Amino acid sequence: MSATLDAPRKLVGQPLKRREDPRLITGAAGFLDDVKLPGMTHAGVLRSTVGHARIRSIDKSRATAMPGVIAVYTGQDFLDLNPLPCAWQAGKVQNNVNTPRVLAVDEVHHVGDPVAVVVAETPYQAADAVEAMAVDYEELPVVVDAKRATEEGAPQLHENAPNNVVLQWTCGKDASEVDAALAASPVRLDQHIVNQRLIPTPMETRGAIGRYDPGTGDYTLWATSQAPHVMRLLITAFVMGIPENKLRVIAPDVGGGFGAKIFLYYDMPLTLALSKKLGGRPVKFVEDRSENYLSTTHGRDHVTDVQIGATEDGHITALKVKTYANLGGYLSTIAPGIPTTLYGRMVAGCYKIPNIHVDVTGVYTNTSMVDAYRGAGRPEAAYLIERVCDLVADATGVDPADVRRRNFIQPDDFPFDTGIGMLPYDSGDYEPALNRALEIVGYEDLKQEQARRRVGGENRLIGFGLSSYVEVCGVAPSKWIGLPGEGWGAGLWESANVRVHLTGKVVVTTGTLPHGQGHETSFAQLVADELGVPYEDIEIRHSDTQGTPFGFGTYGSRSASVGGTAIFKSVAKVREKAKKLAAHMLEAAEEDIVWENGRAYVKGSPDAAKTIGEIALQASVAYDLPEGMEPYLDETTYYDPPNCTFPFGTHVCVVEVDQDTGQVELNRYVAVDDVGNVINPLIVDGQIHGGIAQGLAQALYEGAVYSDDGELITGTMNDYAIPKATMVPIYELERTVTPSPTNPMGVKGAGEAGTIASTPAVANAVIDAVSHLGIRHLDMPLTPEKLWRAMRMAQA
Amino acid sequence: MFPSQFDYYRPSSIAEAVGLLGANPDAKILAGGHSLLPAMKLRLAAPGALVDLGRIQELRGIRVNGGVTLGAMTTYEEIQDSAEVRQRVPMLAEAAGTVGDPQVRARGTLGGSLAHSDPAADLTAVFLALGGEVAAVGSGGERTISADDLFVDLLTTSLQPDEVITQIRFPVNGGTAMAYEKQEHPASGYAIVGVAAVLQLGDGNVCQSARLAVTGCTSKATRLSSAEAALVGQPLNDERIMQAAQGAAEGLEINGDLYASEEYRRHLVTVMTRRVLQRALSTGTN
Ligand SMILES: Cc1cc2nc3c(=O)[nH]c(=O)nc-3n(C[C@H](O)[C@H](O)[C@H](O)COP(=O)(O)OP(=O)(O)OC[C@H]3O[C@@H](n4cnc5c(N)ncnc54)[C@H](O)[C@@H]3O)c2cc1C
């Protein structure tokens, strides 16, 4: 069931420039902070300056008296609001769930934990008043390291979570079985691997505007969100206890999310509740960058010990993984699902590994919450298994490319079950992408150049790294992802409505929404082809719960494969109805109607065709419809995918390492990705580019660091290095195309692939550059000093 | 990131600026704002008033008069783009091009950088190695401060609170070789270690005088006097350069942080000194 589209492809596959870009790059977009409402007030949040403490008292007297201050509230004022829900309680965490309240009550658990809010006439006045508040803390011992937090004598964060354990989860074969397989393996390796903490850093920080209408009792929330419908559900049913239909959630233009804007945050219910307390004056809260770093979710933060078994010829026979996943001071919305389903069940990568056991301990620490960040679990898995491949290559002397080739799942193995609880991989052909990447980069020449420099004693060493990845996208079949105790207790289908107006103009609504991905362009291309109407006549509407069917939003590279399929199916329904009506208009039998490029005609008489516009008009004026037909061309689909999709590919990175300084230079970056069929190659390339940048930044630059007493040392962009344009290489991209059998368009997903692939490609390249010195592994970020020290130690 | 409340003045002459500074003891000068405003937004600084030099024409422009004189409000970008500077003081243009990113270079000023005396700034070391001087005007009138006397300590200069740097002057001598080498912080572009070198070369590449200055690892831009001593009077060859570089960090009090330790920076002082000398020699004299 691969891609067959009714209409001849005209726009799908074309690199159309994004229709949203003129608005976004000329300052005409409307981001959250651009929203200005009559009577709007501004909230400022007072945050904990200590990592762990009991709140003895909060002195708000000075703040209350300051100019422009309307009100000051603390956590005690919002006891009627429930703690935020944790929606994905994977690993059976029900007994030790601890989530934040809108403002901390009694105790704070990390620096940045919100403890009070000021509402003022201007943001400046709010900031001044926040500074004028004083909190008397009874400080408690702090723990920031996940493994340490589970050890005896560690500070305890929550009463219901002994030893700070959130979840204890395993997948794969029994530990004893894998132990036996390890013991029987001719090659045995152990490695300690840290996947450091990252701060997502979208260009736009987060925020919310809440407005209560005292006349109707309706609430409206504007929020920087990747999932407005889900926010509405969680806020109404779980936090505020108000009817779901009394809240409208709007996500204005969203300036990047990378996962961090999927979740429910304190400020959303808080601004709504504040607006009600103020009798309906809207309340705006927008984080500044420092607040974003302290209290929007972070990503990754795994400490892993892996035991590897292999044969002398590089076949991986067994993998035993023990991971401590730091989840922060509380559970964010889907935090438990990331190190379990999306990491543990993906550690096999693109390889057939007969014996795998994964053991994950999720842990509370006095740090910001950790949740999905671009790739969410899969980057951790890909980094682990791709480091493993290189370690096996190093130990056996088999070329790293051959280690991958020898372990690859083969094309006729699909659908392939890795045996660790992931859905079966849908389709793949891994070797051509690997071969092509090596061909582009000139693998054999690189090896010679590497040897030449090593022998010649040159200061600048060369290294190259491979990363063959597979990831899971298009989340997800409800009956898999929803399973309580393992999944998140709800579906992950998607909705779409397609409506052809009387004038032939088309409005499409989708439950997915863009924060940089170009939905408005790609989806319009799809609809133009499938319905046969001009691209310009199609509007893609999203991001507002009002007037759109429920949808789950955008994350997990699901928009095209799940959201797009819902659109595809709605268009098909519209077409079917239009065909029926055309048969009526042409006084012919429906079976005799041919549908071609948005026109319907009777077989053999293409000249007497009815256009979709004419049919829509007839459907709308409705005075001459076939017996029993409802007016209007208006169709909705709720699409639940039968499987996820599994994009894959191979990336190769070439680096130079300056031995004098340890500085790494990225020389070349080749990516051959397979994201299935491609709707808009320009957009896919853009997604891959950005993804690679974010992934290579983890390898070389980024790393969030807490001091032992819980202070975020990398709390500003002066310390936390995100990549600038001058810090990334020219990308050399190519693609192979293996359509997904999961959906009728054959698309897989491209939003996270680059990030997942690039971190190991870069890290492997850097480690390869210094491997002749006996260096086997280095933890990221691979800063100049770290490399310099490693080289010096190795040479000493 | 909202600064606390302040008054804002925009004088149109140096005299008016000095007057405003005198009348507002808790006022601060605002130049490009790329050090001061971030500090205010983080509420690390809370001046009661800002005196914006942006509209004072006398503080702009680049003039050639034996040496090169730059108005204090000259931006990095203007320095980078100036043919006069490139020709006569190439290291200044080169170093200006390594500051931050294009946005920072479009706003940040030479006067602001010197007055701020950030321990990781680039042009402080360049100014010191070039042996420049600043003209400053305050309530006590105008005076000249030489490069060796300007930087006092971390974020501290010998300027009085009401003194405005008006001009920065660089000498131009024949037979000079110069270069700036830096390893930068990936987040900000600031120097982890930067070394600026200015060498006066005679026949047979004999070093007649040497001024080397380091930034990024010390509390303020600092002369590398032991390296200078190792060079002066000597014909410069690889061996001599290695020797000078080896001892370059001697006697320096070097700071470390999370990103780069004291030990690593000490090592980088040697590497950057060697590289900057090699490059200065290979580019040749003006
Ligand atoms: C993202 C970023 C990256 C940066 N990267 C670098 C880098 O790589 N290298 C580097 O060197 N710098 C860097 N900087 C700092 C930048 O160069 C600043 O512009 C510079 O340090 C200060 O110059 P300014 O004109 O912006 O001064 P301002 O910020 O306006 O002022 C700085 C201080 O100097 C005082 N002052 C200003 N002008 C005068 C004057 N004429 N007389 C007396 N006092 C005065 C002010 O009162 C204030 O105390 C960076 C800054 C940012 C924001």
Side-chain angles (χ1 to χ4, degrees):
Chain A
M1 185 185 95
S2 79
T4 45
L5 300 173
D6 265 5
R9 286 194 179 188
K10 287 172 301 193
L11 293 183
V12 167
Q14 300 293 318
L16 296 198
K17 287 190 182 166
R18 303 197 320 171
R19 51 162 62 166
E20 41 276 85
D21 280 346
R23 168 175 109 239
L24 292 170
I25 65 183
T26 60
F31 296 98
L32 180 85
D33 207 18
D34 296 319
V35 176
K36 305 213 158 66
L37 304 172
M40 192 164 74
T41 64
H42 299 267
V45 173
L46 175 69
R47 296 171 188 285
S48 174
T49 52
V50 295
H52 192 193
R54 257 186 287 280
I55 300 171
R56 282 205 202 95
S57 64
I58 302 175
D59 181 1
K60 48 186 199 182
S61 56
R62 267 184 65 212
T64 313
M66 287 182 63
V69 172
I70 300 162
V72 181
Y73 297 105
T74 66
Q76 297 294 341
D77 299 309
F78 298 100
L79 294 177
D80 55 329
L81 301 181
N82 294 316
L84 310 184
C86 173
W88 192 352
Q89 300 186 2
K92 309 198 166 49
V93 290
Q94 284 85 344
N95 296 322
N96 40 16
V97 169
N98 294 279
T99 56
R101 288 181 162 275
V102 292
L103 297 173
V105 177
D106 300 332
E107 251 187 57
V108 290
H109 292 100
H110 65 89
V111 169
D113 213 351
V115 297
V117 64
V118 173
V119 187
E121 298 292 345
T122 74
Y124 292 87
Q125 291 166 335
D128 286 346
V130 166
E131 216 187 8
M133 263 189 285
V135 184
D136 182 10
Y137 291 112
E138 177 192 338
E139 288 200 46
L140 299 169
V142 166
V143 62
V144 298
D145 177 80
K147 188 153 184 232
R148 165 87 191 84
T150 62
E151 285 164 7
E152 185 142 329
Q156 301 292 301
L157 269 74
H158 302 286
E159 252 170 40
N160 63 355
N163 303 317
N164 300 308
V165 171
V166 175
L167 59 89
Q168 184 55 60
W169 180 94
T170 61
C171 75
K173 289 188 176 169
D174 278 351
S176 57
E177 227 178 307
V178 176
D179 284 337
L182 282 169
S185 299
V187 179
R188 276 279 296 108
L189 301 164
D190 293 332
Q191 186 62 54
H192 182 73
I193 291 181
V194 176
N195 198 303
Q196 82 273 31
R197 180 181 284 245
L198 302 175
I199 308 182
T201 320
M203 212 183 294
E204 179 202 32
T205 60
R206 272 189 344 85
I209 303 169
R211 184 178 67 189
Y212 173 71
D213 182 334
T216 60
D218 290 342
Y219 292 86
T220 308
L221 178 74
W222 289 259
T224 50
S225 176
Q226 300 176 222
H229 288 278
V230 178
M231 293 307 102
R232 177 171 67 167
L233 173 67
L234 297 182
I235 292 167
T236 55
F238 291 84
V239 182
M240 297 182 75
I242 57 172
E244 190 182 351
N245 52 14
K246 290 305 243 181
L247 172 63
R248 172 183 180 187
V249 179
I250 302 165
D253 281 320
V254 177
F258 312 123
K261 291 177 183 169
I262 301 172
F263 318 119
L264 178 63
Y265 288 93
Y266 60 97
D267 47 302
M268 300 177 187
L270 181 62
T271 50
L272 292 168
L274 285 170
S275 180
K276 182 163 191 202
K277 281 190 194 293
L278 301 184
R281 286 190 71 181
V283 179
K284 180 193 260 189
F285 169 74
V286 180
E287 291 176 331
D288 66 28
R289 184 62 65 187
S290 303
E291 293 180 292
N292 178 260
Y293 271 25
L294 286 176
S295 76
T296 282
T297 52
H298 294 174
R300 321 270 195 268
D301 206 342
H302 284 194
V303 174
T304 295
D305 282 292
V306 59
Q307 294 172 259
I308 308 156
T311 62
E312 303 282 1
D313 63 354
H315 283 98
I316 303 170
T317 48
L319 213 54
K320 193 174 177 201
V321 179
K322 169 70 210 175
T323 295
Y324 289 87
N326 192 338
L327 298 177
Y330 311 90
L331 291 182
S332 166
T333 313
I334 63 169
I338 310 307
T340 54
T341 302
L342 293 177
Y343 161 72
R345 298 194 191 287
M346 283 305 291
V347 298
C350 3
Y351 310 108
K352 285 194 209 182
I353 303 173
N355 299 287
I356 300 179
H357 175 78
V358 182
D359 175 323
V360 178
T361 305
V363 185
Y364 290 116
T365 64
N366 296 112
T367 61
S368 299
M369 293 186 284
V370 179
D371 206 325
Y373 167 50
R374 200 169 190 172
R378 291 97 88 207
E380 296 90 309
Y383 181 66
L384 179 68
I385 189 64
E386 290 307 296
R387 283 300 304 129
V388 165
C389 284
D390 273 22
L391 289 165
V392 169
D394 186 80
T396 57
V398 177
D399 187 283
D402 287 331
V403 169
R404 289 171 172 83
R405 288 191 184 103
R406 284 174 198 178
N407 290 285
F408 271 157
I409 299 161
Q410 295 302 311
D412 50 9
D413 291 332
F414 292 94
F416 184 80
D417 183 348
T418 53
I420 50 176
M422 181 43 68
L423 289 166
Y425 293 2
D426 58 345
S427 64
D429 190 358
Y430 298 156
E431 203 168 323
L434 171 71
N435 292 343
R436 182 65 191 133
L438 296 182
E439 192 183 343
I440 298 170
V441 84
Y443 195 49
E444 295 306 321
D445 292 349
L446 279 176
K447 284 191 201 167
Q448 284 177 17
E449 175 66 9
Q450 181 179 59
R452 193 186 66 74
R453 293 196 191 189
R454 284 176 179 174
V455 174
E458 286 189 28
N459 177 47
R460 291 178 81 82
L461 297 168
I462 197 166
F464 37 91
L466 304 184
S467 160
S468 295
Y469 72 96
V470 61
E471 57 141 336
V472 50
C473 283
V475 290
S478 299
K479 67 169 181 272
W480 176 71
I481 200 77
L483 223 57
E486 194 54 55
W488 76 331
L492 259 183
W493 43 264
E494 198 44 78
S495 70
N497 174 267
V498 174
R499 196 173 297 173
V500 187
H501 285 247
L502 181 145
T503 54
K505 306 290 178 197
V506 180
V507 175
V508 178
T509 66
T510 167
T512 68
L513 62 156
H515 33 283
Q517 299 90 336
H519 290 54
E520 293 169 20
T521 302
S522 298
F523 285 162
Q525 287 176 257
L526 179 66
V527 174
D529 280 8
E530 291 301 305
L531 198 57
V533 297
Y535 173 75
E536 298 71 31
D537 286 353
I538 301 159
E539 279 295 319
I540 307 296
R541 298 279 175 202
H542 49 79
S543 305
D544 187 345
T545 58
Q546 179 152 300
T548 61
F550 191 97
F552 283 92
T554 285
Y555 38 84
S557 301
R558 68 190 298 275
S559 287
S561 61
V562 190
T565 302
I567 293 174
F568 184 90
K569 288 183 175 288
S570 290
V571 171
K573 290 179 190 168
V574 167
R575 222 168 36 213
E576 279 317 299
K577 183 168 177 182
K579 256 169 104 170
K580 276 202 183 74
L581 182 49
H584 177 74
M585 291 162 77
L586 294 164
E587 297 176 351
E590 204 192 322
E591 310 81 73
D592 295 334
I593 298 292
V594 179
W595 183 270
E596 199 179 76
N597 289 337
R599 297 158 74 252
Y601 57 84
V602 182
K603 215 176 289 170
S605 333
D607 292 344
K610 295 288 176 196
T611 66
I612 182 81
E614 290 169 312
I615 302 168
L617 176 65
Q618 183 95 348
S620 311
V621 296
Y623 51 74
D624 183 15
L625 296 181
E627 194 58 36
M629 180 180 278
E630 290 178 11
Y632 236 80
L633 298 179
D634 180 340
E635 299 290 346
T636 298
T637 302
Y638 292 86
Y639 170 71
D640 201 345
N643 191 2
C644 291
T645 58
F646 295 82
F648 61 89
T650 292
H651 289 201
V652 186
C653 176
V654 184
V655 299
E656 282 189 32
V657 174
D658 182 330
Q659 292 192 75
D660 283 345
T661 61
Q663 188 94 34
V664 175
E665 190 176 317
L666 291 162
N667 252 3
R668 286 186 67 194
Y669 197 98
V670 174
V672 180
D673 296 291
D674 193 321
V675 299
N677 286 331
V678 169
I679 298 173
N680 183 322
L682 190 62
I683 288 179
V684 168
D685 285 355
Q687 289 293 307
I688 301 287
H689 283 187
I692 294 172
Q694 252 166 330
L696 70 82
Q698 173 169 23
L700 296 181
Y701 309 123
E702 296 186 29
V705 180
Y706 280 90
S707 68
D708 287 341
D709 60 356
E711 189 199 340
L712 180 62
I713 303 175
T714 53
T716 74
M717 293 181 80
N718 214 19
D719 307 296
Y720 186 86
I722 64 161
K724 293 181 259 185
T726 51
M727 289 153 70
V728 298
I730 305 280
Y731 306 117
E732 301 167 60
L733 305 190
E734 275 197 23
R735 268 189 280 280
T736 62
V737 177
T738 308
S740 171
T742 306
N743 60 71
M745 297 169 298
V747 300
K748 288 198 163 186
E752 294 158 295
T755 316
I756 293 164
S758 63
T759 307
V762 177
N764 282 345
V766 175
I767 294 167
D768 176 59
V770 297
S771 60
H772 63 300
L773 304 173
I775 296 169
R776 298 284 158 271
H777 178 78
L778 294 169
D779 282 323
M780 306 179 292
L782 298 164
T783 59
E785 175 164 2
K786 201 177 279 179
L787 274 158
W788 172 74
R789 280 189 184 282
M791 288 188 283
R792 213 175 48 147
M793 288 252 296
Q795 282 160 333
Chain B
M1 298 210 168
F2 297 103
S4 46
Q5 195 169 336
F6 57 87
D7 294 329
Y8 174 80
Y9 300 101
R10 198 169 60 198
S12 50
S13 71
I14 295 170
E16 192 188 343
V18 171
L20 284 165
L21 289 167
N24 298 277
D26 63 347
K28 274 251 173 213
I29 292 169
L30 176 68
H34 271 52
S35 288
L36 182 55
L37 295 185
M40 288 168 64
K41 288 181 174 188
L42 289 167
R43 298 198 170 212
L44 299 172
L50 292 183
V51 177
D52 184 350
L53 305 184
R55 296 292 168 93
I56 305 179
Q57 280 313 318
E58 310 159 69
L59 296 178
R60 298 206 164 265
I62 298 172
R63 272 184 300 124
V64 178
N65 44 4
V68 175
T69 299
L70 296 93
M73 289 298 285
T74 309
T75 64
Y76 301 115
E77 191 182 75
E78 286 162 353
I79 295 172
Q80 245 182 300
D81 292 348
S82 158
E84 284 82 13
V85 176
R86 280 164 180 275
Q87 199 191 347
R88 292 177 176 76
V89 219
M91 168 171 66
L92 180 60
E94 177 197 331
T98 73
V99 172
D101 49 46
Q103 287 86 340
V104 175
R105 297 197 289 273
R107 298 290 307 181
T109 67
L110 178 57
S113 179
L114 300 186
H116 194 54
S117 186
D118 190 293
D122 293 298
L123 295 192
T124 50
V126 168
F127 172 70
L128 192 51
L130 283 166
E133 58 183 32
V134 300
V137 176
S139 52
E142 174 162 353
R143 64 175 176 134
T144 299
I145 308 172
S146 75
D148 288 315
D149 295 332
L150 183 63
F151 307 119
V152 174
D153 202 349
L154 185 80
L155 304 175
T156 312
T157 65
S158 55
L159 290 165
Q160 296 301 311
D162 72 342
E163 270 183 324
V164 182
I165 297 180
T166 55
Q167 290 184 344
I168 299 99
R169 305 184 197 119
F170 295 96
V172 175
N173 305 309
T176 308
M178 57 178 75
Y180 180 64
E181 277 284 334
K182 121 196 213 196
Q183 178 156 324
E184 61 179 45
H185 192 288
S188 62
Y190 276 109
I192 294 300
V193 169
V195 177
V198 178
L199 307 170
Q200 197 72 42
L201 298 178
D203 289 343
N205 263 359
V206 172
C207 179
Q208 289 163 344
S209 76
R211 285 181 72 96
L212 274 73
V214 69
T215 184
C217 57
T218 43
S219 62
K220 55 167 183 150
T222 304
R223 295 270 297 272
L224 293 175
S225 29
S226 55
E228 291 173 355
L231 295 169
V232 176
Q234 306 290 331
L236 297 192
N237 51 30
D238 273 358
E239 200 186 328
R240 175 60 50 190
I241 287 175
M242 290 298 259
Q243 211 178 348
Q246 281 309 332
E250 250 164 52
L252 289 182
E253 219 175 283
I254 291 183
N255 303 311
D257 62 15
L258 175 72
Y259 181 76
S261 68
E262 184 255 323
E263 189 189 10
Y264 176 60
R265 286 181 205 244
R266 190 171 289 279
H267 164 75
L268 283 185
V269 172
T270 296
V271 176
M272 294 300 141
T273 304
R274 171 165 55 76
R275 288 186 178 176
V276 81
L277 291 172
Q278 283 166 342
R279 201 152 58 75
L281 274 192
S282 69
T283 4
T285 56
N286 60 347

